[in-house]
Amino acid sequence: MNTDGTAHTGTANTDDDWTDRTVLVTGAEGFIGSTLVDLLVARGARVRALVHYKPYGEKGHLAHHLADPDGRVEMWAGDVRDAGRVNDAVAGCDTVFHLAALIGIPYSYASPGAYVQTNVTGTQNIAEACRRHGVRRLVHTSTSEVYGTALTVPISEEHPLQPQSPYSASKIGADMTALSFHHAFELPVTVVRPFNTYGPRQSARAVIPTILAQLHAGAREVRLGSLAPTRDFTYVTDTAEGFLAVARCERAVGEVVNLGTGEEISIGDLARELIAASGREAEVVVDPARLRPSGSEVQRLLSDNSRARAWAGWQPRVPLREGLRRTSEWVADNIALFAPDRYQV
C-alpha cells in the first residue's frame, strides 16, 4: 500500500542509467534491434550486437556505430541456432535483449521448419546461456500475432494464444520456452509482446513500407491484400523505449507485457492515411496474390497496455499521423532499398 492509501500497482525500477553496462542485443541489425541499440548507446551502455554472419561484411543499420571512437558497439557475427556461439556472446553481459527471429508470415507457409529452428531452438540456446552466466535480466521478444484474431478486446496478456500461422506457432513455442526457464530455473526473464511496430528502417515485408514504397515510386494504384483487418500500430522508438522500461521493472519478471497503443485502424483506412502522408494521389486495389489463407488471416489486433503503463511506467508518445509522416519521409529518402513493383514475401 502506498503512503496515500492507494494500492501499489507495480515495482518499476526508475534507474534508467545504463552507463558502462554490457548488454547483448540479438537481431541487432534489424528494424527494432538497431533502434534499441541506438537508445542503449545514447544512455551509456556498451552493446554487444549479435548479427547474422554475412561474408561481405555489410553492417546495415549499425554501420554508423563503427565510427564511434569509444567503440560502444561491438559486432558479433553469429546465429542463435549455434549454441556455442550464443554462449560466448552472452558471457559477461548484464542484460540480454533477444530480438533475433525469423519473421514474416507469408514465408512461414513455405518453410515452417526454419521458423522452429531459429525461433524456438534459438530461444532455448539464449535462455540456457543466460542461465549459465547468471544474467540480471533476459528480455525475450514475442509478437501480437500469437493472439490470433481477437476473441475479446482490448487484448490483455491473458488472452488465449492461437497459432494461426506457422510463424505465430513458432513464436508461441519460443515464448513458452523462455517462460519455462523462469519457472524451472528461476531465470529472470520477461516476455515483451509488441503489437505492430512501424517506422524508419522497416523492411518491405511489412504493410506500411509496402504501401509507402509503392506511393513514392509513383504508383497510381496501391496493391494490398485484405483491407478489413485492424491493427494497433506503435512507432519504433516507443517500442524500443518499452523494452528498456520493462528491463528495469521487477514486477515484470516471469511475466508477459504487451506494448501497443490501445488504438486500432483498418488496413484500408491506414492506406488512405499513408496516401495523405505521402502527398501522392492513388487508389487502393486488392491484389489476390497478397491475400493470406482465410483461416490464417488475423482479423483484429488491439492491445491492452495497462501492464506496461502500471508496472513499467511506459506509454507511447508518437501519434500515428506523426509517425506515418516520419516514416514516409524515410522511405522517400531510401526508395532505392525497395522493389515497389514486386511482392516481398
Side-chain angles (χ1 to χ4, degrees):
M1 191 71 70
N2 294 326
T3 55
D4 62 359
T6 59
H8 184 61
T9 57
T11 55
N13 178 359
T14 57
D15 178 14
D16 196 27
D17 183 9
W18 291 86
T19 302
D20 290 332
R21 294 188 192 181
T22 300
V23 178
L24 174 67
V25 179
T26 74
E29 277 184 301
F31 162 49
I32 300 175
S34 63
T35 305
L36 179 61
V37 170
D38 289 348
L39 286 181
L40 284 163
V41 169
R43 292 177 190 182
R46 296 196 171 274
V47 180
R48 190 173 293 169
L50 185 65
V51 301
H52 203 274
Y53 171 73
K54 294 188 287 294
Y56 44 87
E58 192 269 331
K59 302 304 180 185
H61 299 315
L62 297 179
H64 59 287
H65 288 293
L66 298 180
D68 180 2
D70 294 327
R72 292 185 180 277
V73 177
E74 179 185 8
M75 302 291 188
W76 276 55
D79 191 315
V80 292
R81 294 173 297 178
D82 182 343
R85 187 59 169 163
V86 165
N87 181 72
D88 292 344
V90 170
C93 290
D94 169 86
T95 302
V96 173
F97 293 96
H98 177 41
L99 289 85
L102 192 55
I103 59 175
I105 294 167
Y107 184 58
S108 77
Y109 304 138
S111 186
Y115 283 70
V116 174
Q117 294 164 22
T118 297
N119 297 350
V120 181
T121 303
T123 297
Q124 178 186 334
N125 290 339
I126 290 289
E128 186 60 59
C130 287
R131 176 193 177 203
R132 181 177 299 116
H133 292 290
V135 301
R136 184 189 66 84
R137 181 72 61 87
L138 166 60
V139 178
H140 165 74
T141 310
S142 180
T143 168
S144 58
E145 286 287 330
V146 302
Y147 293 126
T149 297
L151 302 176
T152 58
V153 291
I155 297 172
S156 77
E157 292 84 354
E158 304 300 327
H159 188 283
L161 304 181
Q162 303 181 95
Q164 289 183 219
S165 67
Y167 166 66
S168 65
S170 73
K171 292 300 287 184
I172 291 170
D175 295 357
M176 296 303 106
T177 297
L179 290 171
S180 76
F181 271 72
H182 172 71
H183 296 302
F185 309 117
E186 298 184 347
L187 181 70
V189 59
T190 298
V191 174
V192 172
R193 195 163 281 160
F195 278 62
N196 293 77
T197 302
Y198 74 100
R201 303 179 182 174
Q202 191 169 25
S203 72
R205 47 152 292 279
V207 65
I208 288 177
T210 290
I211 295 170
L212 287 171
Q214 292 179 64
L215 290 168
H216 287 298
R220 302 303 296 239
E221 291 184 346
V222 173
R223 306 185 69 81
L224 297 172
S226 179
L227 305 181
T230 67
R231 296 292 184 266
D232 182 333
F233 289 99
T234 310
Y235 193 68
V236 63
T237 54
D238 284 335
T239 296
E241 290 283 5
F243 275 78
L244 298 185
V246 167
R248 62 179 184 265
C249 174
E250 295 302 319
R251 180 68 180 86
V253 173
E255 301 285 356
V256 177
V257 179
N258 286 341
L259 295 178
T261 65
E263 299 177 359
E264 63 185 327
I265 185 172
S266 72
I267 300 303
D269 287 343
L270 173 70
R272 286 180 276 275
E273 289 284 350
L274 287 166
I275 291 169
S278 70
R280 305 280 180 160
E281 293 185 2
E283 64 175 327
V284 179
V285 176
V286 174
D287 180 355
R290 300 172 188 247
L291 294 171
R292 297 185 191 178
S294 59
S296 187
E297 179 65 82
V298 174
Q299 296 296 334
R300 191 178 186 191
L301 289 174
L302 174 63
S303 72
D304 177 349
N305 62 17
S306 55
R307 278 190 184 180
R309 289 176 179 271
W311 293 1
W314 173 85
Q315 61 180 351
R317 299 187 181 279
V318 180
L320 182 62
R321 284 186 176 175
E322 172 61 17
L324 296 181
R325 183 192 64 77
R326 296 180 193 179
T327 308
S328 178
E329 291 178 353
W330 183 85
V331 171
D333 290 341
N334 293 273
I335 194 65
L337 299 176
F338 298 90
D341 57 345
R342 187 174 70 245
Y343 175 40
Q344 180 63 52
V345 173

